[in-house]
Structure formats: C-alpha cells, structure tokens
Amino acid sequence: MATTGLASSSTGRFDSVAPPKASSLPEDLVRQLLVNLDDKIASLKDDKSFDLEGLLVYQRVANYLSAAQIFLRGNGLLTEKLNQSHVKKRLLGHWGTCPGLNFAYAHTNNLITRHEEEKDVPSFMFLTGPGHGAPALLSTLYMEGAITRFYPQYPMSREGLEEFIRCFSIPGGFPSHVNAETPGAIHEGGELGYCLAVAYGSVMDKPDHITVAVIGDGESETGPTATAWHAHKYLDPAESGAVIPILHANGYKIGERTIAGTMDDLEIACLFTGYGYQVRIVEYVGASSDHEHDVSINYDMAVSMEWAYQEIKKIQNAARSGKPIIKPRWPMIVMRTPKGWTGPRKSAGNPIEGSWRSHQVPLPAAAKDDKEFELLQQWLKSYGPDELFHTEASGIIDEVALRIIPKDQQKRMGMVDATYRGFTPLEAPDWKDFTHSIDEPISNMKAVGSYVAEIIKRNPSSFRIFSPDEITSNKLDAALEVSHRNFQWDPETANNGGRVIEMLSEHTLQGWMQGYTLTGRHALFPSYESFLGIVQTMIEQYAKFVKMALETKWRGDVAGLTYIETSTLWRQEHNGYSHQNPGLIGSFIALPRHLARIYLPADANCSVSTIDHCLRSKNNINLVIGSKNPTRGWLTADEAERHCIAGASVWHKYSSNGGIDPDVVLVGCGVEVTFEVVAAAAILRNNGVKVRVVNINDLLILGALGAHPHALTPEAFDSLFTANKPVIINFHGYPKDLASLLFNRNAHVGRSRFDILGYIEEGTTTTPWSMLRLNNTSRYTLAHLAVQRVFRDQPNHPVGVKAHELSSYWQHQLVLHDRYTKEHGEDPHWCSEVPDLQENAA
C-alpha cells in the first residue's frame, strides 16, 4: 500500500520543529487536568469492528484531492505522465490546514457511522474556522456525494472528478475559501474569529444536533474567538444541542508561530480547563512516513471523538431527565498535527511540512521550476492515486475509502437539512394590537418590547434575543415578563431555558445570531447605537454569505437579521461624546443593496409596524434606528401602516394646506430630528411660509432607481419633494451618508436645492436639546435656513421683508438656550413642545 505522503525527518515534533518551551507550572497538573484515554485506546485496538483501514484510505483520498485541486488543471488523476502544462498558472488555496481538516472530517464521519444504526442519533454539522482550507472541505464533500447532489456537472465519474479538480479557484468554479456555495457551510470563511460562536448558535434550540467546530490556532488568537470559548455557558443542554470544539494546533500561521503553537500541555490544560472544558489532546508524534504513527493518531482521535460524544450524552441526559449537572464541563479536543501534514518535506533546503512555508501553496513555482515540479510529482504519487481511483470502474473512488461515510444521506454533513433548508416562518401577531394613541407619550422601544414579548410567546423554541447586557436599559424589558435570561453558569437562570441571551461581546452575539438564523430560526439584536458598529465587518461578511446563498439555486430562504439601534446619539447626552456614533448607517448603505434595509421610524406606531415587517422578512439585513425615551406620536395605526408601506410620505396634517404648493419642504428622518421638523414647520407657518412636511421611514428609497428594490422612481421622488422647491432634510446620522444616496439623482447636493443637516461630531455630556443645537439640527436652525432658501428662490415672497429679523431672533433663541442650560443644568420646557399654530398660520 502507498504511504500517506512524502517522508519527513523524525527529529523533534512535527518534522524538525522545536517543541514549546516548558512552562513553570507544576507538572502534576497535566495528570489532574487533561483527559487520559489510554485504556480506551488499548480497547479499540482489539475492536474488530473499528475500520482503521477505511479511515486511512479516506484520508489519503481527501489529501490527494486537496493537493490536486490546488495544483492541477489537467490530468487530475495522474492517468498519464504528469508534465508542467498540467499545472495551473495561478496557484490558489491554503494547503497547510487541509490535512488536519480532512483528518477531523474523517473522524466525524467515523463517529456518525459507528452510531448510525442506533436510535435518536443526532445530526452532525461541520464548521471550519480556517475558511481558506476549502480544498479539504470540497474534497470530503465530493467523496460523500454532496458536490454531485448539488452540482450535477461534477458526477462521480472519471470525467466528473477531473473537472471537479480543475475547477477549484478558476473563474466559474469554486472559490478559494468556504462560502455559501459550499454544501454544509453556514459560515463565510474569509474573516477569522467567528466559527466557534456560529457553531454554538447553530445548535441552540436544536437538541438533536451536534456541530463540530475546527478552530485554527491562528484564528484562536482573535478577540472574537477568545470570548466565544465561553459560549457553552449559555447552552442549556435540556433544550439545545452541543458543540465539539477542536483547536487545530498545527503550530504556525502565515509567517510565524501561533500562540497556541508555543504552549505546552500544561498551559493548554490550564487555559481551557479555566474556560470550563474537559480537555483532551490528540497529538501526532514522529515522522509522517512512519505508518505506526499514522495508525496511532487515528486510534487516538477515534477514541477522543467517541469520548466527546459520550460526555455530551451524559450532560444532555442528565438535564433532560430533570437532574442537570451544575456547571457541566463540556468536552473539547486540542488536535496537534503538522502543518502541511503529508506534504513535501523540504524545498530548496527549507523545511515545508511542519513549517509556516506550507501555509498556502508549498511549491509556488511548480509550473516553471523543474525542481519544484519534481517535488510536486513525487508528492502526488506518494498517495497512490492508481490505488485510490478506478477510472474504468463504475465507482471512481475506491470503496474502502467510502466505508466510513454514513449510509443515510441525511446524516452526511454536506446534506444536513438545517444547513440549507431549515427555515420555518415566524408566527407573528397583528402588530396593530400593540399601537398607541398619538396623544399618549410613549417610548418607541417600550411599544416594540410589548410586541416582541408576544413574538416570544408564539415562538418559544425558534426565536431569541441576543443583546449586550442592555435589554432593560433599552426599554425592551417586556420580553423578561414572558421569558428570562439564559445563562447556565448563573444559579438564578440555570437550567430554565430563556429567550434572552446577554453577553458583553458583540462579536459572540453576532456569531450566535448567524448560526441560529442560518439554521432556520429567527432572532433580534438590540444594542446601543454607538457600539453596534463593533460587528460591522461581521455584518459585511454575513452579507456576502447571504448574497451568494441567494445566487446558489439549492439554498433555501433564511430569516432576515434584524438589528435595533437604540440609546442613540441624540439621547446619549448623559454618557457623552464616546456614546455618540451613527456610523453603522454608512456601512449598511454600502452593503449589497438588495439585502440591506435601513429604517428610522419616527414614533411608536411606526416602530411597531417596522419591527413586524423586519422580523417577518427573509434574506434581508435590517437596521432599525429607534429611541427609548418617551415621545409623542405623530400617526395613527392606519396612517403608520400606509406610511411604512410607502417608505416615506407627506405628513398632511403638519403641512400647510395638506402640503400642496409649498414654499419649502422640510424632511425628517429619525425620531428627535423629526420632532424638530414638525416644530420648525409650525414656526415657519406662523410667519407666513408654506411648508410641506415629509417623513422618511425607509432610508434607502432615496437611492438611485435600480440600486435598491425600494428606490423611488423619478416621478415618485418629485411627488414627495417637488420638482423645484427648496428641500431641507434633518437627518439622524452623518449628512454625508444621506448625500451619498442622492448623488445619482437630480437632487444631488451641491448642484441643486437640497440641504442636509445631521450629526457633525459635536457632542459632550450636556442636555438632550443641546445636542440638537450643537449639531445645527434644531427647529431654529431649520427655520433660519428655510427662510434663506425661500428668499433665494422667491425674492418677492413676503417673508423676505422680515427674513433678517426672524433669523436674528431665532439665532438669539439658541444663545438663550445655551445660557439657560448652563445656569439650570436642564433644558427649558419648550424644548419638548411643538409651538401652537396661530389663526393666520400658512
């Protein structure tokens, strides 16, 4: 039988790699903390049913296919003499992690197969943090038939397999990293740090699922992964599944050692025991040409996976029988294998296997350099492709390699329903049952909270709120009247379910929500506005995943992700400048336009209508910007419904003559700034200026037609904003963000009649209305600018006679306000009032 790869020297650990320096911790800690399975390994060696041969041959096939995908554009199965014309001109992909991923996937398959005939066997999902190890995942998915099932152009035949090998990382083929086009994937593999959190989210409320999450030791250095190690503390074993975390410690990242790669057994044991895990180390020791060592680590991994599975069952059975284990210590595996295992040992005198040089493409000049080409040829032949592939037979892959793959296709990890067609619709109430009278001052978030509480009641196992310790602060505490927090290490909330998860790690919350929704459920993420931006790049990566999922025919719908930004900048006057940041709006504007939604409901009724729409949406990424402070209502339930459907509307009852033939158009977009628009309209009307008040709920309707599915037609745009009258927009966020939406319209700022006011980075610890004054979004600034614009366009307008007087008076009111707040420490009462209209108001 052929060996598993090229030879490596036997000096040291992993080829010639020096082991970590010894720690100063007491050595007897290892015996106390690390799980010892020596007796189990000895027993397995006597177990005639254990398919060691199948495991070894499976890995040879998977490793060969991984390497071939990276290098070969022709002659993929070496059925003829290899020459340099068969090598791809552009070599992409990351070889270093592939053998370890194939090893872990093989043993997960083996675990499933050994229990396949038992009752109530869970479904397994497999997630990889090293997303650029796509050649490994694609290889194993091809072997189990998932590639052929979802991509019939790659049949299980010689022609199909050679085309599959050719099409890795070429235009029109598979990309170099795991994404939505990869069967079984629920995690975009580009940005590191999120795999573990996504894995835990995927098993919440799925008691019959286990997710194996392979975390690269480079990824383990990221902040998001560091906090995600705590995720098991939020997993109720009575209602949820489990995760088997595998830390893949191959020692190196792209150019140097990893932190985990420099830690010895003592340090690894202490770290992860402290996180709350039972720790098992599986380690390859010796040269890769040594068949004995290949056999040894496979026995070790098989026993370790079985141990992890049995520990999970023990924890779950106890919880589900009403006798939960207090602070259960879930299993995890630290898998030490050489980086680039089974690959070329050296090139040009430099080590490759067991070195950072195997991280990406180990022989980058193989298409041109004769020495590197010869090494490539030796490497590929070392797997024995003539034994592994039967080009003339009905089964292209040797049947020995396929024995460890589950017979039930639904148990194969690339075909598990939850990963691509698990969506179930949300059961939602009639949102109008949660609306309020416009004469009743109410917090927008309080109104939303009552609605969300009913959502929880109707969806007790398919809806969760993920929040960074801010549910009560953000006035969504009605949810806690029908459910509670789910924190298993807190004795007050342990072993009692709960629909609310609070953790002060936005990254972990985002990962949980992605895993939860991509496997078919629904979620809400409320947060302080200024800090939700922490997960900006995660949102962007998720948007890329969803975009590709929608373009992938076999993937089903997923629930929209809904974020609520509250505790917004305009009412963070007490926390100060650091808490004043509306920047996430700009990021959402840059997302794929058919996915992004940005809503700024102006009152409680519009807020409830908007949240109802968002939570029922599919495949969208929704950003809702609200306010938690009580404010008056503007629209009845029926008016709010029509307004939200339209995305924007003329508010007739706050306009002159219902908004017909105005002198100026005032536009509000956001809670506090809309209040000032209505107040400014009253001031202007009392001074003879005809005003149309427009409110925008759906921000992206302003974009150019074709750039967003909700974009206004030119006719609809002019019907709201007129074709030739001055328009002043009072915007919740940065003016530049709204201006970017108008850029391709005739209303482009700078060459037309539009002015945009908004947050201009003026803030501190001050009074609420001072924030409006400091950022030039107050009613008096609006009125002053409106009079200027009306007089500019209509020099004979009656207001022109007193324009200077009015503007001077309004500017003086701002000075008086500043003086008042410094003397009294609060705003005067008129700041929360809309001026009454006079009898002769326009």
Side-chain angles (χ1 to χ4, degrees), residues 248-442:
H248 185 199
N250 61 27
Y252 289 88
K253 43 187 183 275
I254 196 168
E256 65 169 338
R257 294 178 186 267
T258 60
I259 293 173
T262 64
M263 298 172 71
D264 67 7
D265 290 357
L266 294 171
E267 292 157 336
I268 289 286
C270 289
L271 175 64
F272 290 102
T273 300
Y275 271 123
Y277 292 95
Q278 297 181 71
V279 185
R280 171 66 183 169
I281 295 179
V282 175
E283 182 167 6
Y284 186 93
V285 180
S288 65
S289 62
D290 192 332
H291 183 68
E292 179 182 346
H293 290 296
D294 289 336
V295 169
S296 177
I297 193 173
N298 276 280
Y299 277 120
D300 194 343
M301 189 64 172
V303 165
S304 298
M305 291 293 285
E306 180 66 30
W307 159 78
Y309 178 57
Q310 296 301 331
E311 287 298 311
I312 287 169
K313 288 178 63 177
K314 184 191 304 181
I315 294 168
Q316 291 178 338
N317 289 340
R320 294 170 191 180
S321 65
K323 298 178 181 179
I325 300 170
I326 304 302
K327 288 187 175 181
R329 305 189 76 80
W330 296 85
M332 73 161 291
I333 294 171
V334 178
M335 186 178 78
R336 288 196 183 121
T337 62
K339 196 172 191 73
W341 187 16
T342 76
R345 176 169 57 102
K346 290 183 177 181
S347 177
N350 295 314
I352 296 179
E353 184 190 33
S355 150
W356 57 266
R357 292 180 181 86
S358 66
H359 182 82
Q360 293 175 301
V361 179
L363 301 171
K368 298 178 181 179
D369 184 279
D370 292 342
K371 291 182 178 180
E372 287 199 5
F373 174 72
E374 181 61 28
L375 285 173
L376 173 63
Q377 188 167 222
Q378 293 177 29
W379 172 18
L380 294 175
K381 286 183 177 180
S382 73
Y383 296 106
D386 56 328
E387 299 175 7
L388 302 177
F389 306 107
H390 306 301
T391 57
E392 305 302 327
S394 57
I396 181 66
I397 298 174
D398 190 84
E399 63 178 15
V400 175
L402 306 181
R403 290 198 307 234
I404 65 167
I405 296 174
K407 295 180 177 61
D408 182 356
Q409 287 196 358
Q410 292 301 108
K411 294 297 184 183
R412 298 178 186 178
M413 290 179 283
M415 305 186 199
V416 174
D417 283 352
T419 62
Y420 73 102
R421 59 178 183 186
F423 175 78
T424 55
L426 189 75
E427 184 180 339
D430 184 347
W431 67 269
K432 289 186 178 180
D433 293 341
F434 302 89
T435 55
H436 296 262
S437 166
I438 61 175
D439 299 323
E440 175 188 0
I442 184 166

Side-chain angles (χ1 to χ4, degrees), residues 156-179:
M156 298 283 280
S157 65
R158 172 180 173 175
E159 294 75 18
L161 183 50
E162 291 202 335
E163 181 66 5
F164 167 74
I165 291 170
R166 187 188 73 84
C167 284
F168 175 73
S169 281
I170 67 169
F174 290 102
S176 64
H177 67 281
V178 174
N179 74 343

